[in-house]
């Protein structure tokens, strides 16, 4: 299920987790980024000083600072405001319908119907359908778990597991000083590991990774004990999923934007990347 994606930005786009991850995010974080350097458009493309290269053309080499590169790559990974909404809305439809009806099939139909509508619009516009498909896959996995086990609350189990995996992976990356956000910088510079030579960049990436990790950990800490409780906890789990999906992700992204807005760390590119 797809509202908790925050980890999405760092390679988080996992099947059951897009529903957990992208309701996962919203316009507030993007608006903060736009105020600092570039506006994030409806299809996730940053405009402004950071998107025009040295010769005036678009390209990833346009980013002069680590902060600018991370902002742009996070926006790209999340699909911008539109991509995040598309990943969130079908999952919210699924969860809200499930809480109201306690019927997995009805909830799945509601979620799929919304996703198909968004998919048709994307196809008509000939733009990427990635985030809609991610949400569809998340809904399908959630419904499968619930129907196979016969327990409605198990629809929320894949999202809990996925958030736990994301949190564990990101914590390990921080512990060994290879924070996952660092690889975002590597994708821009042309050298996936050169960023580790600068302790300042490593520290920045660690702080940003902590901010990605926090929503995942909080969801597990709240939702897993509810799932373990006796009786049918599907209504409470559904409410927790919605409340801890989009709003929590927006808060995490806003914190990341605030952190990035304070710094101007020079971005050093490799010779190969600079040549072309």
């Amino acid at each position: 299920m797809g509202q908790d994606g925050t980890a999405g930005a760092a390679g988080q786009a996992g099947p059951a987790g897009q529903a957990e991850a992208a309701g996962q995010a919203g316009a507030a974080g993007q608006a903060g980024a736009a105020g600092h350097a570039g506006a994030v458009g409806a299809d996730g493309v940053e405009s402004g000083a950071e998107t025009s290269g040295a010769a005036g053309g678009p390209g990833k080499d346009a980013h002069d600072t680590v902060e600018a590169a991370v902002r742009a790559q996070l926006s790209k990974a999340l699909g911008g405001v539109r991509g995040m909404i598309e990943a969130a809305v079908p999952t919210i439809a699924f969860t809200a319908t499930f809480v109201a009806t306690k019927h997995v099939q009805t909830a799945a139909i509601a979620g799929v119907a919304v996703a198909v509508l968004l998919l048709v619009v994307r196809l008509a516009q000939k733009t990427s359908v990635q985030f809609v498909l991610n949400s569809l896959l998340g809904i399908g996995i959630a419904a499968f778990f619930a129907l196979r086990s016969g327990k409605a609350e198990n629809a929320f189990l894949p999202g809990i597991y996925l958030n736990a995996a994301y949190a564990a992976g990101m914590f390990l990356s921080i512990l060994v000083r290879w924070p996952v956000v660092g690889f975002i910088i590597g994708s821009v510079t042309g050298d996936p590991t050169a960023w580790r030579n600068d302790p300042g960049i490593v520290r920045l990436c660690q702080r940003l990774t902590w901010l990605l990790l926090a929503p995942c950990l909080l969801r597990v800490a709240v939702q897993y004990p509810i799932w373990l409780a006796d009786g049918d906890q599907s209504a409470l789990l559904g409410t927790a999923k919605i409340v801890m999906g989009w709003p929590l992700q927006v808060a995490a992204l806003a914190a990341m934007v605030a952190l990035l807005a304070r710094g101007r760390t020079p971005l050093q590119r490799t010779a190969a990347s600079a040549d072309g």
Side-chain angles (χ1 to χ4, degrees):
M1 298 176 45
Q3 271 186 318
D4 305 349
T6 40
Q12 148 176 324
Q18 272 307 41
E20 195 90 10
Q24 332 192 163
Q30 298 299 334
H36 179 253
V40 178
D43 8 17
V45 179
E46 256 192 32
S47 61
E50 292 173 5
T51 55
S52 52
K60 65 184 181 182
D61 287 340
H63 309 298
D64 298 322
T65 66
V66 170
E67 290 80 9
V70 172
R71 279 200 308 274
Q73 292 300 95
L74 284 175
S75 175
K76 181 179 177 182
L78 290 169
V81 174
R82 180 177 178 178
M84 292 183 287
I85 290 174
E86 287 174 337
V89 170
T91 301
I92 293 174
F94 173 88
T95 305
T97 304
F98 183 71
V99 170
T101 65
K102 303 290 180 65
H103 199 262
V104 176
Q105 291 95 329
T106 302
I109 290 171
V112 169
V114 172
V116 168
L117 179 61
L118 294 172
L119 186 62
V120 168
V121 173
R122 279 286 193 178
L123 290 172
Q125 295 175 340
K126 297 182 179 179
T127 53
S128 173
V129 298
Q130 172 190 346
F131 299 97
V132 179
L133 293 179
N134 284 338
S135 187
L136 269 173
L137 186 55
I139 290 169
I141 291 174
F144 173 79
F145 267 66
L147 292 172
R148 185 176 182 183
S149 66
K151 295 182 178 180
E153 61 265 30
N154 282 354
F156 303 94
L157 199 54
I160 294 173
Y161 284 161
L162 195 62
N163 273 275
Y166 289 150
M170 286 188 282
F171 177 73
L172 180 62
S173 77
I174 293 169
L175 199 63
V176 299
R177 293 183 58 79
W178 284 88
V180 294
V181 174
F183 294 99
I184 294 176
I185 296 170
S187 70
V188 175
T189 62
D191 186 331
T193 61
W195 55 272
R196 292 199 76 247
N197 297 328
D198 187 328
I201 295 179
V202 173
R203 286 193 297 271
L204 171 65
C205 292
Q206 286 180 315
R207 290 194 292 268
L208 291 169
T209 303
W210 274 116
L211 291 174
L212 284 178
L213 183 158
C216 297
L217 189 60
L218 188 56
R219 290 181 189 113
V220 175
V222 171
Q223 294 174 22
Y224 189 60
I226 296 175
W227 181 82
L228 288 174
D230 293 334
D232 182 3
Q233 301 297 327
S234 57
L236 187 55
L237 281 167
T239 302
K241 184 177 183 64
I242 292 174
V243 171
M244 303 184 77
W246 194 322
L248 195 59
Q249 197 66 34
V250 169
L253 290 176
M256 294 178 76
V257 166
L259 179 61
L260 290 168
R262 293 203 303 264
R264 300 289 295 175
T265 310
L267 180 62
Q268 302 297 326
R269 301 182 181 87
T270 64
S273 175
D275 290 343

